[in-house]
Amino acid sequence: MTAEQQAILDSETRDRLLADPGVILADRDLMRALVAAREAEVGANVIDIRGRAMEALETRLDRLETQHESVISAAFDNQSGMAVIHRAVIGLLESADLADLVNSLQSDIAPLLRIETLRLVVEPDPAIPGLPEDAVMVPEGAIGRIVAAGRRTPRGDDIVLRPASPVTRIMHGRAIASEALLPIDLGARRPRAMLLMGSADTSRFMPAHGTDLLRFFAQVFRLVLLSRLRG
């Protein structure tokens, strides 16, 4: 550093930097400016390996910070989703009987899940002579066709997340943008059933999303429904 350059810094600032040069290393913008100044000084025909290495490390740090933020955001969303599902499960358990359970899906449980529609879809069966009006009754084999929704191969008992289908529009009873189909196995002597969820948000139910929390909710609903059917 020349005498002219030293004169640019006041003595107090210079003493602080000499006492703790790490403050320069901790400032990314300052380090970038220093490297650029060094490269301008040596000329365009000279490559500063240290400067290139620092740029590579800076890029890697930016990438790691972005990944870290994504992990934190995903963990927060998952925790929030768990809390929502837990409140909905408590709502299921509080139902007094079969009618209360089925009627509460749309009126009470759907708002807890922050969705617009939640319907129980059931194929006809003599073992269940009278379901509440809020249950959607469909012909035998219809649930398989609804789940397939035009696909050549049905998805079996997998939970399906997809954009709203015209096939289910009448069941939702209102306009929705995305939906979740949760098959409910009531046993060999029981009719085929399914929970149908609908959201006005196009990104709420997407095929790439995880289904663990929805699967847990469906399993709890299955047990509660079987209990109410026996009662």
Side-chain angles (χ1 to χ4, degrees), residues 64-208:
L64 289 174
E65 287 180 345
T66 300
Q67 292 175 351
H68 182 63
E69 292 172 356
S70 298
V71 170
I72 292 177
S73 177
F76 179 81
D77 290 343
N78 187 55
Q79 184 178 17
S80 176
M82 288 178 61
V84 168
I85 292 295
H86 289 167
R87 288 195 294 268
V89 164
I90 292 174
L92 295 178
L93 297 174
E94 288 177 340
S95 61
D97 51 31
L98 178 60
D100 190 27
L101 172 65
V102 175
N103 293 334
S104 70
L105 292 178
Q106 181 61 36
S107 61
D108 301 323
I109 308 301
L112 290 175
L113 293 172
R114 302 170 188 168
I115 56 179
E116 276 61 52
T117 60
L118 177 58
R119 308 287 189 189
L120 173 63
V121 183
V122 184
E123 294 183 359
D125 190 280
I128 307 180
L131 281 173
E133 292 184 0
D134 275 3
V136 179
M137 303 301 297
V138 296
E140 184 176 353
I143 289 181
R145 293 191 294 272
I146 293 169
V147 172
R151 298 184 184 91
R152 294 182 180 180
T153 305
R155 297 283 291 272
D157 292 332
D158 289 343
I159 291 177
V160 176
L161 309 179
R162 68 190 185 193
S165 170
V167 177
T168 56
R169 183 173 302 168
I170 191 172
M171 300 176 194
H172 289 289
R174 67 184 69 184
I176 56 112
S178 62
E179 61 185 6
L181 287 69
L182 288 61
I184 305 296
D185 183 7
L186 299 178
R189 298 184 180 181
R190 297 283 189 181
R192 191 170 183 184
M194 176 183 71
L195 278 176
L196 178 65
M197 297 180 174
S199 172
D201 183 357
T202 56
S203 62
R204 180 61 187 274
F205 299 120
M206 301 178 66

